[in-house]
Amino acid sequence: MSKIHFDFPAAGRFFAGSLAGKWQGDVQRAHDGLHRGTGQGQDFLGWLEPLSPDSEEVAQIEQTADRIRQQADVLLVIGIGGSYSGARAGIELLTPSHFKPFRKRKTNAPHVYFLGHNLSASYIVQILSNLDDQEVAVNVISKSGTTIEPALAFRIVRDWLIKRYGAKEAAMRIVATTDQFKGALLRFAEVEGYRTLVIPAHVGGRYSVLTAVGLLPMCVAGLDIRELLRGAQDASVRYATPDVTQNHCYQYAVWRNELYRQGRVIELLAAYEPAFAGFAEWWKQLFGESEGKNGKGIFPASVQFSTDLHSLGQYVQEGPRHLFETVLWVEDTGCEVLVPAVDGDLDGLNYLAGKGLTFVNEKAWLGTIEAHESGAVPNLLLQIGKLDERHVGHLFYFFEKACALSGYLLGVNPFDQPGVEAYKQNMFKLLGKPGRSE
Amino acid sequence: MSKIHFDFPAAGRFFAGSLAGKWQGDVQRAHDGLHRGTGQGQDFLGWLEPLSPDSEEVAQIEQTADRIRQQADVLLVIGIGGSYSGARAGIELLTPSHFKPFRKRKTNAPHVYFLGHNLSASYIVQILSNLDDQEVAVNVISKSGTTIEPALAFRIVRDWLIKRYGAKEAAMRIVATTDQFKGALLRFAEVEGYRTLVIPAHVGGRYSVLTAVGLLPMCVAGLDIRELLRGAQDASVRYATPDVTQNHCYQYAVWRNELYRQGRVIELLAAYEPAFAGFAEWWKQLFGESEGKNGKGIFPASVQFSTDLHSLGQYVQEGPRHLFETVLWVEDTGCEVLVPAVDGDLDGLNYLAGKGLTFVNEKAWLGTIEAHESGAVPNLLLQIGKLDERHVGHLFYFFEKACALSGYLLGVNPFDQPGVEAYKQNMFKLLGKPGRSE
């Protein structure tokens, strides 16, 4: 069982009455909108009921991943937005991804590189020019197949793969994760004979981490995806009640909205393990794209502590009081290293000799909460039992549901992204795209 | 010669009169404060005159770097805040750092890992446990030697090094970059016999990238540090005039303050090359720590485009109008890859066949500026001739001087960081530090 605890230690400082009393009515309406499918964006609620770990679909993803592991030393995942950020988050959290030279040796799983989420030539050239002695497989992920960043990256990678392996073998090394019935990528797959996995029609990109979109790359990287899904199931049961006093997920959504109404326009997601960097990017897309519309929305930003206490920490402590923090803390990281003694105590730190680094990290965490709250910055806390698949699955679901509810409380549709089209239209005009409607 | 161009294409939309006319008086006073040393924090202006590329100090840094390159496959750099972020920024911008497995083979320079900027046990364990077949050297960077993150990391790494090489050889593999006259790290170096390099007393951490602090790691990684310093010299000459109409660096500082007064409380640094990720972190520390005080300051955030157009892009386009963007564009990245044709044009992108990815990236850049400005988000542009040492040195200096001037215009001391102490004091209390004053 996975355990995640939400808390708000200095609540009384920022809201004196009964938060549940004030918000329960709105929460009930938002909850009904989600669970009865009567809210805005009701065609995109497929994530609400997590995929069963024992389903045929999960078995199929695992088989596909096994095949990739047999074929390849490296998996190139081509996708943008929700088509890469969730998998990246999970892999960085649960494998020692910071130290790429050593991953394959240690875990015996292919290394996963993400491409197609930018238009940088040097980025793609650097990856491809360094795969000489590696066997390669590709997972291209796109609902439409025409989003320009992944579509161009796929053209380049496919061309490279064909030159290396020949057309027939190349096709056997490509898995397309795409729409079940339509789109350019599905057509590509049919013509060239790629294996395919399905992006459910009723799940938007930023809610797709626990579908084939995120599950295949995570499975290839060696994560136990059934456990991820069990964690999401834990969460779906635990956060099923509309009662704010009982539902930690909804409490988080309510606090965000309360603080936003009080002028807290920036939310800082803070973590004390650097492995959360990719997770923070996933979270920023989830909330930024879901809420940033109609002139509304909290600006989602992230920090790594204690690193950034020597950077943005000054701003948090003494800058404008327009922000709040959501702090992630892992209770059991499963790793410790002891501080050695030094003869002569040259740096005056022998009082910590024999103590663990995690012990010190915990004091930094507690000391920072106290410091920031005394500086009038509200801190919302999310304590995560440990860093394993079950807890990470739980955490993904926690934020997905909190985001959906939070969007409804804010009065926006948390499932659309109309503003993403604007730059594309200008770009197509500049690129001279044929048949473009003026 | 390095070339950086500042521009503000839709200026008239956000300020109708003469910006120079409005601000020239304040700029002149701030400029005098800097150049005559009469402003706040005048003891920390050492960065204003860049180190000469032909100085004895630079030769000494290069010799030290040569020695490390002969000794080691891996350099562990231990530092936090300004003691690591500048070097990390430069190395990520100018070497293919995203692909660590391949760096050593390609550049014949040691790989640089940064430690001591967090308290994560798993982070440090993962690095140390994977160095079995690598020769290792260490550069520990701290003015005082007692900042807890790098001091504890140094204890752990030093212990590990002694176990591996013995005390005498370990000492020959450690370079301490620290204060010239005092402090725990200097004492350590004297007792154990480390080589030392000097952190100038009159340069604060976040302005120290072009001192020994940043120069040694960058030199070890294979960067031409004389060219970095020549770029800074280019900039120091170019931005020496107090005349706003002639000084692009001051124009940037003025625009930030003008927009802040208009309620733009968030600045998004946007780049179209992923290699700028570390640079954005350096920039966030520089501005966040310099300006976030006295209840004032723009919140510095960063995005990678076009990646984050599929994430925060929605928020930028349609969220609250409380932000502006500063966009970095590299005119010549020195790298291109062509879009291949596809038989049957399965994705409809054959109209781009034969075009370069950089060409498409440029249209995304132009299309995004247009989209965001039509969404009433001001865009400040910084066009960088190319990505080489000379331009990166110029860029470091551009932002350092802009930040100093901008802080004066805002009415704060851009060289102190009083708020960073608050969490430390709480942490020391929780750690039971002896002799701590209550």
Side-chain angles (χ1 to χ4, degrees):
Chain A
M1 194 63 180
S2 50
K3 190 163 163 282
I4 287 179
H5 183 77
F6 176 74
D7 202 0
F8 31 94
R13 189 182 177 111
F14 303 101
F15 188 81
S18 158
L19 205 69
K22 175 177 175 185
W23 285 90
Q24 185 62 58
D26 290 337
V27 167
Q28 183 70 55
R29 275 184 292 280
H31 174 87
D32 290 345
L34 276 180
H35 283 273
R36 295 181 189 164
T38 55
Q40 289 185 78
Q42 71 269 34
D43 291 339
F44 293 96
L45 295 171
W47 55 272
L48 199 55
E49 183 66 40
L51 204 54
S52 165
D54 304 315
S55 62
E56 180 53 38
E57 191 175 346
V58 171
Q60 192 200 346
I61 292 168
E62 289 175 338
Q63 286 155 18
T64 307
D66 278 344
R67 191 155 168 264
I68 290 171
R69 275 197 293 262
Q70 284 158 24
Q71 286 178 321
D73 308 305
V74 164
L75 175 66
L76 304 179
V77 174
I78 299 174
I80 196 167
S83 294
Y84 92 102
S85 68
R88 181 189 152 202
I91 292 170
E92 286 191 11
L93 271 176
L94 295 169
T95 65
S97 64
H98 287 286
F99 310 105
K100 293 173 185 168
F102 315 109
R103 278 213 52 234
K104 187 159 162 59
R105 196 174 63 201
K106 292 267 162 179
T107 67
N108 207 24
H111 184 72
V112 176
Y113 286 114
F114 295 95
L115 290 88
H117 57 283
N118 60 52
L119 292 163
S120 163
S122 61
Y123 183 85
I124 199 165
V125 164
Q126 281 175 30
I127 293 182
L128 294 182
S129 65
N130 283 302
L131 297 175
D132 291 350
D133 50 359
Q134 316 269 316
E135 295 297 330
V136 177
V138 173
N139 179 208
V140 53
I141 307 171
S142 178
K143 211 162 194 166
S144 67
T146 55
T147 302
I148 205 155
E149 292 89 347
L152 293 182
F154 181 59
R155 279 187 172 229
I156 293 162
V157 169
R158 173 182 164 276
D159 196 55
W160 178 89
L161 216 58
I162 289 172
K163 281 181 182 140
R164 174 152 172 186
Y165 291 109
K168 192 177 159 195
E169 167 82 8
M172 292 175 63
R173 290 175 172 270
I174 296 172
V175 176
T177 307
T178 189
D179 192 89
Q180 189 171 6
F181 302 112
K182 62 181 190 323
L185 182 54
L186 182 67
R187 203 157 66 236
F188 235 127
E190 287 169 351
V191 170
E192 307 218 331
Y194 311 150
R195 282 200 169 207
T196 58
L197 292 172
V198 173
I199 304 180
H202 53 303
V203 178
R206 59 188 176 272
Y207 291 84
S208 70
V209 56
L210 296 176
T211 70
V213 170
L215 292 173
L216 181 67
M218 291 193 287
C219 192
V220 170
L223 274 58
D224 183 337
I225 62 172
R226 293 186 193 225
E227 277 291 285
L228 279 166
L229 292 169
R230 281 186 204 107
Q233 285 183 326
D234 293 347
S236 77
V237 171
R238 192 157 159 222
Y239 309 125
T241 174
D243 180 351
V244 174
T245 66
Q246 300 301 313
N247 191 324
H248 283 202
C249 172
Y250 287 5
Q251 286 170 12
Y252 170 61
V254 162
W255 266 111
R256 301 177 77 250
N257 277 275
E258 178 62 33
L259 291 169
Y260 180 63
R261 289 193 188 174
Q262 295 181 21
R264 304 286 173 162
V265 296
I266 300 169
E267 178 176 9
L268 271 177
L269 189 75
Y272 282 76
E273 289 291 332
F276 275 97
F279 186 86
E281 294 304 311
W282 172 83
W283 174 89
K284 280 152 77 170
Q285 186 201 4
L286 181 65
F287 281 91
E289 211 167 47
S290 296
E291 295 192 326
K293 51 197 72 160
N294 308 349
K296 299 194 244 188
I298 297 168
F299 181 81
S302 63
V303 282
Q304 292 184 26
F305 285 163
S306 64
T307 303
D308 290 332
L309 293 171
H310 297 251
S311 165
L312 287 178
Q314 167 65 37
Y315 189 97
V316 175
Q317 195 69 47
E318 300 189 339
R321 303 299 77 183
H322 58 183
L323 48 80
F324 68 97
E325 287 168 281
T326 295
V327 183
L328 304 179
W329 177 254
V330 178
E331 288 167 359
D332 175 11
T333 63
C335 185
E336 187 54 294
V337 55
L338 302 184
V339 176
V342 166
D343 286 348
D345 198 15
L346 295 167
D347 56 6
L349 292 169
N350 268 355
Y351 76 98
L352 294 173
K355 296 278 202 304
L357 211 51
T358 305
F359 167 82
V360 181
N361 207 11
E362 189 190 14
K363 304 309 181 231
W365 167 59
L366 293 169
T368 303
I369 291 168
E370 189 188 331
H372 290 180
E373 294 208 321
S374 73
V377 174
N379 272 236
L380 308 178
L381 305 188
L382 212 54
Q383 287 175 249
I384 301 150
K386 57 197 288 194
L387 266 191
D388 62 12
E389 281 87 344
R390 190 135 182 180
H391 283 83
V392 171
H394 186 140
L395 197 59
F396 279 133
Y397 190 95
F398 177 95
F399 280 121
E400 285 178 351
K401 191 165 192 190
C403 183
L405 195 94
S406 189
Y408 281 167
L409 294 178
L410 185 65
V412 300
N413 178 353
F415 303 112
D416 68 356
Q417 53 284 333
V420 176
E421 293 306 309
Y423 97 92
K424 292 185 189 175
Q425 292 312 316
N426 293 333
M427 178 176 65
F428 290 144
K429 183 179 65 188
L430 294 167
L431 288 171
K433 184 182 179 183
R436 192 182 46 82
S437 56
E438 290 292 339
Chain B
M1 193 64 179
S2 50
K3 188 162 164 281
I4 286 179
H5 184 77
F6 176 74
D7 202 1
F8 30 95
R13 191 183 175 108
F14 303 102
F15 188 81
S18 158
L19 206 69
K22 176 177 173 184
W23 284 90
Q24 184 62 58
D26 290 337
V27 167
Q28 182 71 55
R29 274 184 293 280
H31 175 87
D32 290 345
L34 275 181
H35 283 273
R36 296 183 190 164
T38 55
Q40 289 186 79
Q42 72 269 34
D43 291 338
F44 294 96
L45 295 171
W47 54 272
L48 199 55
E49 184 65 39
L51 203 56
S52 164
D54 304 315
S55 63
E56 179 53 38
E57 190 175 347
V58 171
Q60 192 200 348
I61 293 169
E62 287 175 338
Q63 285 156 17
T64 308
D66 278 344
R67 191 156 170 264
I68 291 172
R69 274 197 294 263
Q70 284 159 24
Q71 284 178 321
D73 308 306
V74 164
L75 175 66
L76 304 179
V77 174
I78 299 176
I80 196 167
S83 294
Y84 90 104
S85 69
R88 181 189 153 202
I91 292 170
E92 286 190 13
L93 271 176
L94 295 171
T95 64
S97 65
H98 287 285
F99 309 104
K100 294 174 184 166
F102 314 110
R103 277 213 52 232
K104 186 160 162 63
R105 198 173 62 203
K106 291 269 161 177
T107 67
N108 205 26
H111 183 71
V112 176
Y113 285 114
F114 294 96
L115 290 88
H117 57 283
N118 60 51
L119 293 162
S120 164
S122 61
Y123 183 85
I124 199 165
V125 164
Q126 280 174 32
I127 293 182
L128 294 182
S129 65
N130 284 301
L131 298 175
D132 292 349
D133 50 358
Q134 315 270 316
E135 296 296 331
V136 177
V138 173
N139 178 209
V140 53
I141 308 171
S142 178
K143 210 162 195 167
S144 69
T146 55
T147 302
I148 204 156
E149 292 89 346
L152 293 182
F154 180 59
R155 278 187 172 230
I156 292 162
V157 168
R158 172 181 164 276
D159 197 54
W160 179 89
L161 216 57
I162 290 172
K163 280 180 184 140
R164 176 154 171 184
Y165 291 110
K168 192 177 161 195
E169 166 82 10
M172 292 175 63
R173 290 174 173 270
I174 297 172
V175 176
T177 307
T178 189
D179 191 271
Q180 188 171 6
F181 301 112
K182 63 181 190 322
L185 182 54
L186 183 66
R187 203 158 64 234
F188 236 128
E190 286 169 351
V191 170
E192 307 218 333
Y194 311 151
R195 283 200 171 208
T196 56
L197 293 172
V198 173
I199 305 181
H202 53 304
V203 179
R206 59 188 177 272
Y207 290 83
S208 70
V209 56
L210 297 177
T211 71
V213 170
L215 292 174
L216 181 67
M218 291 193 287
C219 191
V220 170
L223 274 60
D224 182 337
I225 61 173
R226 295 188 190 223
E227 276 292 285
L228 280 166
L229 292 169
R230 280 185 205 109
Q233 284 182 326
D234 293 346
S236 77
V237 171
R238 191 156 159 223
Y239 309 126
T241 173
D243 180 352
V244 175
T245 65
Q246 299 303 312
N247 190 324
H248 282 203
C249 173
Y250 286 6
Q251 286 171 12
Y252 170 61
V254 162
W255 265 111
R256 301 178 76 249
N257 277 275
E258 178 62 34
L259 292 168
Y260 180 64
R261 289 193 187 174
Q262 294 181 20
R264 304 287 174 162
V265 296
I266 300 168
E267 177 175 8
L268 271 177
L269 188 76
Y272 283 76
E273 289 291 332
F276 275 97
F279 186 87
E281 294 304 312
W282 172 83
W283 174 88
K284 280 152 76 169
Q285 186 201 3
L286 180 65
F287 281 91
E289 211 167 47
S290 298
E291 295 191 326
K293 51 196 72 160
N294 309 349
K296 299 193 243 188
I298 297 169
F299 182 81
S302 62
V303 282
Q304 292 184 26
F305 285 162
S306 65
T307 303
D308 290 332
L309 293 171
H310 297 251
S311 167
L312 287 178
Q314 167 65 38
Y315 189 98
V316 175
Q317 194 71 48
E318 299 188 340
R321 303 298 78 184
H322 58 185
L323 48 78
F324 68 97
E325 288 167 281
T326 295
V327 183
L328 304 178
W329 178 255
V330 178
E331 287 168 359
D332 174 12
T333 64
C335 185
E336 187 55 295
V337 54
L338 301 184
V339 176
V342 166
D343 287 348
D345 197 14
L346 295 166
D347 56 6
L349 292 169
N350 268 355
Y351 75 97
L352 295 173
K355 296 278 204 302
L357 212 50
T358 304
F359 167 82
V360 181
N361 207 10
E362 188 190 15
K363 303 308 178 230
W365 166 60
L366 293 169
T368 302
I369 292 168
E370 188 187 332
H372 290 179
E373 293 209 321
S374 73
V377 174
N379 271 236
L380 308 178
L381 305 187
L382 212 54
Q383 288 176 249
I384 301 150
K386 58 196 288 193
L387 267 189
D388 61 12
E389 281 87 344
R390 190 137 182 179
H391 282 83
V392 171
H394 186 141
L395 197 59
F396 278 133
Y397 190 95
F398 177 96
F399 280 122
E400 286 178 350
K401 191 165 193 191
C403 183
L405 194 95
S406 189
Y408 281 167
L409 294 179
L410 185 65
V412 300
N413 178 352
F415 304 112
D416 68 356
Q417 54 282 334
V420 175
E421 292 307 308
Y423 98 91
K424 293 186 188 174
Q425 292 311 316
N426 292 332
M427 179 176 65
F428 289 144
K429 185 178 63 186
L430 294 167
L431 288 171
K433 183 181 178 183
R436 193 181 48 81
S437 55
E438 289 291 336

